[in-house]
């Protein structure tokens, strides 16, 4: 049985990735699991300069899910390269760096800066954070702007480039196509859904930021549908994510068209979740005589049984 | 020694309206928790509630751990229905602990409501090491004063007060403490305050400590998803910027917190 998968030029030892923003810089989880066994670790989104993020409260639980409005708090690219990347280099897992900017030129500059660091195997462009100020969302919601920003980053780096898409659009496949046309090697989806929760006693929003991003199993069927739509539309690989809690959930994403899957909120619930999911995928494959994860990708049967 | 483990519920009893004392037995050897440390406990068995909930350690009896908690929502409501033999998924002990390394002459403990949970753990440890802390413990009403018998049994000098005045002195715990400090001027020499309770109490305590130039530490509470420093959900604003309650805390020097 072969577990490796290819995301364009990026080869992973297995299809299970730890999703950005849920796995810190890897260190936080290393006492609980051998992170070297993961297909890839995607680190918390980075920007050129450090960011403080939003005031508290930043998270609130909702039915089978959670809202977060962390606001892209991060230590900045330079500090990451100096203080966090050396630790990740010790593992054979692939390191994907999620990053963002506030302008097209910042995105490009961040990509240049990251491309010169040793130990980074791919870049994931975040054009889809729901907690940025109004106006920023245009990077991930207007396909013409998506095309421009991805094109700029594509010119700035030769590294495998993944574009993380927002579900807060009418037609996500259109966004995936714009990313592909601009030279992305893969798309990852979905980021969180913009959402809101109100305390009926205080009549105030439960998050200081008023709105936040919904993640967890509550969003999974939406994510599966969107992966399926994107897989039909583009020829580049799709990384599926959105509420994956178990191997069964991961396999569902693969059947919908995902080449690899990312585990996010589940890491918070169980720090071993990503490896448990990998083990479950292996058992499923072996029980069914499936020789490669690729046999599952897009294998949903649409004909009437 | 992994901090991810399973435990079986040994006892889960109601102490007062909405307040419970849970005793669990770890199914493998765990790290020894210190006062101030916390555990993340699963509540339901399915996907809703989804996240574990943080609880500070209240007491350690042999290898068993006790958690004192208030039912504040769905997660804690489900937890309150656990029966002996039920299995919990737990991460911990997590976070820092009350810094009591240096010997101090005058140790003042302050607790509000269920905030007695970690303060009791600290009191028990201090008394075991032959120190003589003084506890100021307040609640809205007498029924919110928890584990009074346990406090009596460890023999700590305790000043009780309630907002309603139905038990102990009437008034906020900080007012009672202020009188105590004014009546005992020597207290401020080599003194340290350790506290846990609702934010308004900690805020006014912090102001009181600053007024008298007293050093103090507060154990904070905040929503958190992971408990291990990854989600960045549980931050508190400090003089040194945002800090994570789960990693840099939950115990912070009071004068560093921007209330």
């Amino acid at each position: 049985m072969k577990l490796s998968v290819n995301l364009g030029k990026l080869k992973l030892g297995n299809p299970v990735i730890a999703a950005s923003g849920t796995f810190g810089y890897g260190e936080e989880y290393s006492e609980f699991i051998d992170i070297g066994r993961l297909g890839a670790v995607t680190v918390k989104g980075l920007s050129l300069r450090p960011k403080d993020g939003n005031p508290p409260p930043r998270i609130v639980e909702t039915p089978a899910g959670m809202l977060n409005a962390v606001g892209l708090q991060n230590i900045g690219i330079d500090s990451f390269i100096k203080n966090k990347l050396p630790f990740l280099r010790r593992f054979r897992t692939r390191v994907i760096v999620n990053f963002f900017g506030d302008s097209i030129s910042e995105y490009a500059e961040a990509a240049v800066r990251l491309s010169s660091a040793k130990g980074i195997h791919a870049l994931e462009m975040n054009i889809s954070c729901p907690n940025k100020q109004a106006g920023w969302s245009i990077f991930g919601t207007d396909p013409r702007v998506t095309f421009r920003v991805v094109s700029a980053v594509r010119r700035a780096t030769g590294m495998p480039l993944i574009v993380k898409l927002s579900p807060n659009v009418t037609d996500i496949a259109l966004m995936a196509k714009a990313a592909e046309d601009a030279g992305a090697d893969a798309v990852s989806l979905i980021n969180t859904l913009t959402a809101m929760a109100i305390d009926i006693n205080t009549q105030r929003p439960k998050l200081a930021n008023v709105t936040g991003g919904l993640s967890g199993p509550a969003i999974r069927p939406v994510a599966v549908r969107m992966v399926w739509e994107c897989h039909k539309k583009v020829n580049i690989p799709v990384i599926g994510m959105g509420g994956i809690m178990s191997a069964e959930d991961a396999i569902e994403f693969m059947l919908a068209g995902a080449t690899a899957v990312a585990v996010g909120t589940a890491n918070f619930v169980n720090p071993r979740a990503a490896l448990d999911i990998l083990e479950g995928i292996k058992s499923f494959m072996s029980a069914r005589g499936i020789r490669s994860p690729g046999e599952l990708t897009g294998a949903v049967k649409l004909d009437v049984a | 020694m992994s901090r991810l483990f399973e435990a079986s519920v040994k006892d889960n009893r109601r102490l007062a309206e909405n307040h419970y004392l849970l005793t669990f037995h770890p199914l493998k050897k765990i790290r020894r928790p210190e006062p101030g440390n916390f555990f993340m406990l699963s509540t339901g068995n399915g996907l809703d509630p989804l996240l574990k909930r943080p609880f500070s350690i209240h007491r350690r009896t042999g290898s068993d751990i006790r958690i004192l908690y208030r039912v504040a929502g769905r997660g804690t409501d489900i937890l309150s229905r656990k029966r002996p033999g039920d299995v919990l998924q737990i991460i911990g002990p997590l976070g820092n602990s009350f810094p009591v390394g240096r010997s101090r002459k005058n140790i003042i403990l302050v607790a509000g409501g269920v905030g007695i949970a970690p303060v009791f753990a600290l009191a028990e440890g201090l008394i075991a090491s032959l120190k003589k802390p003084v506890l100021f413990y307040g609640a809205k009403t007498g029924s919110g004063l928890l584990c009074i018998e346990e406090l009596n049994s460890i023999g700590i000098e305790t000043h009780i007060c309630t907002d309603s005045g139905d038990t102990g002195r009437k008034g906020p715990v900080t007012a009672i403490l202020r009188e105590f400090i004014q009546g005992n001027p020597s207290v401020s020499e080599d003194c340290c305050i350790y506290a846990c309770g609702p934010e308004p109490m900690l805020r006014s305590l912090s102001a009181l400590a600053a007024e008298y130039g007293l050093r103090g530490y507060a154990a904070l509470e905040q929503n958190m998803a992971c408990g291990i420093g990854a989600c960045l959900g549980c931050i508190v604003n400090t003089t040194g910027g945002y800090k994570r309650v789960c990693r840099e805390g939950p115990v912070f020097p009071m004068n560093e917190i921007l209330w």
Side-chain angles (χ1 to χ4, degrees), chain B residues 63-130:
Chain B
S63 58
D64 293 346
I65 305 288
R66 285 191 186 169
I67 300 292
L68 183 63
Y69 63 102
R70 181 172 66 90
V71 172
R74 255 191 91 231
T76 39
D77 180 54
I78 291 168
L79 189 65
S80 74
R81 294 162 205 275
K82 298 286 178 193
R83 291 290 157 255
D86 287 351
V87 173
L88 306 170
Q89 313 294 323
I90 302 180
I91 310 173
L94 298 166
N96 66 359
S97 54
F98 289 105
V100 288
R102 282 181 47 203
S103 86
R104 290 186 183 282
K105 214 160 55 190
N106 298 302
I107 298 175
I108 294 174
L109 307 181
V110 183
V114 74
I116 192 66
V119 173
F120 182 91
L122 178 60
E124 196 173 26
L126 289 168
I127 286 167
S129 57
L130 306 175

Side-chain angles (χ1 to χ4, degrees), chain A residues 6-9 146 150 154 160-165 172-189 226-240 256-260 297-298:
Chain A
N6 293 319
L7 298 168
K9 293 167 280 184
T146 299
V150 176
R154 180 73 290 170
L161 179 63
I162 302 159
V163 178
K164 187 163 181 177
L165 301 178
I172 197 169
L174 206 60
M175 310 307 299
K177 187 74 173 67
E180 178 182 39
D181 290 347
D185 295 294
V187 287
S188 55
L189 58 133
M226 289 184 164
V227 164
W228 178 64
E229 288 175 346
C230 288
H231 174 70
K232 285 191 298 179
K233 183 85 169 186
V234 298
N235 293 311
I236 51 177
V238 175
I239 300 169
T259 297
T297 300

Side-chain angles (χ1 to χ4, degrees), chain A residues 31 52 55 58-59 61 269, chain B residues 3 50 52-53 223 232:
Chain A
E31 91 166 76
D52 292 337
R58 288 179 171 184
I59 59 169
E61 184 163 335
V269 178
Chain B
R3 291 192 287 178
L50 182 67
K52 291 182 167 66
R53 300 289 191 270
N223 288 352
L232 306 182

Side-chain angles (χ1 to χ4, degrees), chain A residues 28-29 31-32 44 52-56 58-59 61 63-66 70 73 217 245 265 268-272, chain B residues 2-4 31 47-53 91 222-226 228-233 235 242 244 247:
Chain A
E28 292 83 351
Y29 285 84
E31 91 166 76
F32 299 103
K44 172 77 182 152
D52 292 337
N54 289 327
R58 288 179 171 184
I59 59 169
E61 184 163 335
M66 61 178 279
V70 170
Q73 176 182 338
M245 302 297 290
T265 300
F268 296 153
V269 178
N270 169 16
R272 285 193 51 84
Chain B
S2 173
R3 291 192 287 178
L4 181 63
R31 279 187 218 174
L47 298 176
D48 186 27
L50 182 67
L51 304 170
K52 291 182 167 66
R53 300 289 191 270
I91 310 173
Q222 182 61 273
N223 288 352
M224 56 183 74
C226 68
I228 60 173
C231 75
L232 306 182
I235 50 109
Y242 284 146
R244 296 168 296 185
R247 282 297 276 258

Side-chain angles (χ1 to χ4, degrees), chain A residues 23 27 101 112 119 128 175 193 197 208 247 294:
Chain A
F23 213 69
E27 293 167 345
V112 169
S128 48
M175 310 307 299
L193 288 146

Side-chain angles (χ1 to χ4, degrees), chain A residues 158-222:
Chain A
M159 296 190 73
L161 179 63
I162 302 159
V163 178
K164 187 163 181 177
L165 301 178
S166 170
N168 303 306
V169 294
T170 309
D171 184 356
I172 197 169
L174 206 60
M175 310 307 299
K177 187 74 173 67
E180 178 182 39
D181 290 347
D185 295 294
V187 287
S188 55
L189 58 133
I190 60 175
N191 205 323
T192 57
L193 288 146
T194 309
M196 184 171 176
I198 301 169
D199 182 323
I200 62 164
N201 294 312
T202 63
Q203 295 183 236
R204 293 181 187 286
K206 290 184 176 177
L207 296 173
N209 191 53
V210 182
T211 59
L214 176 62
S215 67
I219 71 170
R220 200 181 78 230
V222 176

Side-chain angles (χ1 to χ4, degrees), chain B:
Chain B
M1 218 178 291
S2 173
R3 291 192 287 178
L4 181 63
F5 64 95
E6 286 188 334
S8 70
V9 173
K10 273 184 94 165
D11 190 41
N12 190 21
R13 69 179 60 187
R14 183 178 176 277
L15 295 183
E17 192 182 358
N18 289 333
H19 290 85
Y20 291 79
L21 178 65
L22 172 78
T23 306
F24 66 77
H25 179 72
L27 298 180
K28 66 178 190 188
K29 194 168 160 55
I30 65 164
R31 279 187 218 174
R32 180 187 163 95
E34 298 298 330
N37 286 165
F38 68 97
F39 291 92
M40 297 293 288
L41 268 64
S42 63
T43 57
N45 294 318
L47 298 176
D48 186 27
L50 182 67
L51 304 170
K52 291 182 167 66
R53 300 289 191 270
F55 300 97
S56 61
I57 175 164
H58 170 56
R59 215 169 174 182
R60 207 178 47 216
T61 51
S63 58
D64 293 346
I65 305 288
R66 285 191 186 169
I67 300 292
L68 183 63
Y69 63 102
R70 181 172 66 90
V71 172
R74 255 191 91 231
T76 39
D77 180 54
I78 291 168
L79 189 65
S80 74
R81 294 162 205 275
K82 298 286 178 193
R83 291 290 157 255
D86 287 351
V87 173
L88 306 170
Q89 313 294 323
I90 302 180
I91 310 173
L94 298 166
N96 66 359
S97 54
F98 289 105
V100 288
R102 282 181 47 203
S103 86
R104 290 186 183 282
K105 214 160 55 190
N106 298 302
I107 298 175
I108 294 174
L109 307 181
V110 183
V114 74
I116 192 66
V119 173
F120 182 91
L122 178 60
E124 196 173 26
L126 289 168
I127 286 167
S129 57
L130 306 175
K131 297 208 169 100
K132 285 199 176 350
V134 180
L135 170 66
F136 293 82
Y137 184 21
K140 283 189 183 127
T141 64
S143 64
L145 292 164
L146 309 166
C147 53
I148 295 295
E149 278 173 32
E150 281 176 287
L151 288 166
N152 289 337
S153 75
I154 62 169
I156 183 170
E157 178 185 337
T158 305
H159 299 256
I160 296 286
C161 60
T162 51
D163 294 345
S164 67
D166 69 354
T167 307
R169 302 270 308 275
K170 181 177 163 67
V173 73
T174 43
I176 313 295
L177 176 59
R178 177 185 290 277
E179 280 179 29
F180 179 82
I181 294 169
Q182 286 168 346
N184 298 276
S186 64
V187 160
S188 57
E189 294 161 26
D190 196 27
C191 168
C192 191
I193 300 173
Y194 301 95
C196 184
E199 190 181 311
M201 182 201 95
L202 294 176
R203 198 188 310 131
S204 72
L205 180 64
S206 190
L208 180 69
E211 190 183 326
Y212 285 92
L214 306 179
R215 177 191 293 270
Y217 295 89
L220 303 186
E221 191 171 44
Q222 182 61 273
N223 288 352
M224 56 183 74
C226 68
I228 60 173
C231 75
L232 306 182
C234 64
I235 50 109
V236 55
N237 203 5
T238 74
T239 51
Y242 284 146
K243 291 192 174 168
R244 296 168 296 185
V245 169
C246 72
R247 282 297 276 258
E248 287 78 43
V251 180
F252 291 90
M254 286 197 288
N255 61 5
E256 283 183 13
I257 300 164
L258 300 175
W259 299 102

